[in-house]
Each structure stands twice: as C-alpha cells, then as structure tokens.
Amino acid sequence: MSLEKILRIVTRETEVSLNEMKDENRKRQKVEARMIASYMIKEFIPEMSLVAIGELFGGRDHSTIIYYLNKVEDLAFTDGPFFNKIEGIRKMIQSEFPKKVTFTWQWETNTTL
C-alpha cells in the first residue's frame, strides 16, 4: 500500500489539502478530511501505528486518532451521505491497489442423520 496514493485520493475527494489537514483549523470540512484520511490509512496500512498517523497530521496525539477512527465508524452507521462518501473513497483506494486475497467459508450440513 502507498500512503501517498491514499492521501492523494482523500485530498482529491474531500477537497482539503494535506497541509490543511495538518493545521490546527477545526472547520468541519478539514476535521472530516483528517478523520477520513486517518481511517483509510489504518484500514489499508494496518501496520502503521496510531502515533505515526498522528504525527502525519500535525503531531496529533494517538488518542485523537482513536477518536477519529471511532467517529468515522459512528457516522458511517448514522449518516447516509457520509457512509456513501466513505464507501466511494474506499472503492477508489481499492481500485489503486491489488485485490486482497480473501477466503470465504461455506458450511455444509448433513441433514440426513
């Protein structure tokens, strides 16, 4: 996974630059962009620490990043347009990277005992 590609997609889709995400501004659009970027980084680069993500966004504390991750999940369940935005960004990021190999299990039951 490429951190730069994730950030490029998030900045393009949120219309907030990385420098704007790093500053102390608390305008909704900028905070939302930081939250989405943090969430996508943690999803696609799970080995990146919360401290490292916080440093990327202007030295924010790891607890702030935890708050962002939880807030994105909460909003995704309660706010339809926000969910659509997150899913759209996720799909764009996924299209930039090779597909992950996933396994599905199908249980077979024997109904004749």
Side-chain angles (χ1 to χ4, degrees):
M1 293 289 149
S2 166
L3 178 61
E4 292 77 21
K5 286 183 181 181
I6 293 170
L7 291 173
R8 179 178 44 81
I9 291 168
V10 173
T11 58
R12 182 183 68 220
E13 294 304 311
T14 61
E15 299 178 349
V16 176
S17 73
L18 182 57
N19 285 336
E20 290 174 311
M21 285 188 224
K22 289 180 180 182
D23 71 20
E24 292 295 319
N25 193 311
R26 293 184 182 213
K27 287 187 179 179
R28 179 184 173 101
Q29 182 184 17
K30 293 177 184 180
V31 172
E32 187 175 278
R34 270 195 301 269
M35 291 190 314
I36 292 170
S38 298
Y39 188 83
M40 293 300 164
I41 291 167
K42 197 61 184 165
E43 181 173 336
F44 288 96
I45 311 174
E47 64 275 7
M48 190 167 181
S49 73
L50 299 173
V51 172
I53 296 171
E55 285 298 316
L56 179 65
F57 296 113
R60 284 175 169 72
D61 191 73
H62 76 282
S63 62
T64 301
I65 304 305
I66 292 170
Y67 171 81
Y68 288 168
L69 300 178
N70 291 332
K71 188 68 173 176
V72 167
E73 289 181 356
D74 290 345
L75 287 172
F77 284 112
T78 59
D79 184 340
F82 185 81
F83 173 81
N84 291 337
K85 181 187 284 189
I86 293 294
E87 283 303 302
I89 292 171
R90 178 181 286 123
K91 287 177 184 177
M92 287 178 210
I93 293 170
Q94 286 174 334
S95 72
E96 292 275 333
F97 300 108
K99 300 291 183 207
K100 294 180 182 177
V101 176
T102 58
F103 297 95
T104 57
W105 294 87
Q106 183 172 359
W107 295 93
E108 294 183 24
T109 57
N110 186 351
T111 54
T112 57
L113 296 175

